[in-house]
Amino acid sequence: MKPEIAIIRIKNLRLRTFIGIKEDEINNQQDIIINASIHYCANKARSSDNMEDALNYRTITKEIIALVENNRFSLLENLTNQVLTIASKHPWVELAEVEIDKPYALRFADSVSLSLCYTRETSS
């Protein structure tokens, strides 16, 4: 039987951090919005109802919050990559995607966002 893939989605996690290269961005926190999708095999969790058989999305989210709130970032690429590293570090994760929006980064746009994706390499 093919393993069942579960998808954890963290939607619209709204945080504030220092991000950017302009003086006002360096000196003032800005809002960011994080969306993450984490795919993992959930066969054990589906039948056991035991937290140790599942990925703990609360733990993942707390780690993302600590990263964002306790650091400064010049580039959205770097921040997105660091969040993706957290989302994908558990060995059960097959695929993870992270998108981070920086609202009002451009004058006539709602936001600018950057997405990165991780896929676990399978050994042949």
Side-chain angles (χ1 to χ4, degrees), residues 40 44-45 48 50-56 90 92:
Y40 79 101
K44 282 181 157 183
S48 78
N50 181 347
M51 187 55 230
E52 292 185 12
D53 293 332
L55 285 184
N56 189 329
H90 195 285
W92 295 347

Side-chain angles (χ1 to χ4, degrees), residues 14-32:
R14 298 172 191 278
L15 302 172
R16 294 183 59 75
T17 193
F18 295 96
I19 182 159
I21 58 171
K22 297 189 307 186
E23 185 176 343
D24 61 314
E25 294 174 319
I26 293 168
N27 295 323
N28 299 296
Q29 287 189 324
Q30 297 177 70
D31 294 330
I32 60 165

Side-chain angles (χ1 to χ4, degrees), residues 82-93:
Q82 289 190 48
V83 172
L84 180 63
T85 298
I86 292 169
S88 63
K89 74 179 182 180
H90 195 285
W92 295 347
V93 174

Side-chain angles (χ1 to χ4, degrees), residues 6-84:
I7 304 171
I8 295 172
R9 289 191 175 92
I10 300 168
K11 297 182 179 184
N12 299 323
L13 179 60
R14 298 172 191 278
L15 302 172
R16 294 183 59 75
T17 193
F18 295 96
I19 182 159
I21 58 171
K22 297 189 307 186
E23 185 176 343
D24 61 314
E25 294 174 319
I26 293 168
N27 295 323
N28 299 296
Q29 287 189 324
Q30 297 177 70
D31 294 330
I32 60 165
I33 302 168
I34 299 173
N35 285 284
S37 178
I38 304 166
H39 301 229
Y40 79 101
C41 179
N43 280 352
K44 282 181 157 183
R46 289 177 43 160
S47 58
S48 78
D49 206 28
N50 181 347
M51 187 55 230
E52 292 185 12
D53 293 332
L55 285 184
N56 189 329
Y57 54 81
R58 184 177 179 156
T59 301
I60 295 167
T61 303
K62 282 182 167 186
E63 193 171 342
I64 292 170
I65 292 168
L67 168 76
V68 170
E69 291 183 343
N70 296 319
N71 290 284
R72 293 175 173 264
F73 308 92
S74 295
L75 299 177
L76 194 52
E77 290 85 349
N78 182 30
L79 171 58
T80 306
N81 185 62
Q82 289 190 48
V83 172
L84 180 63

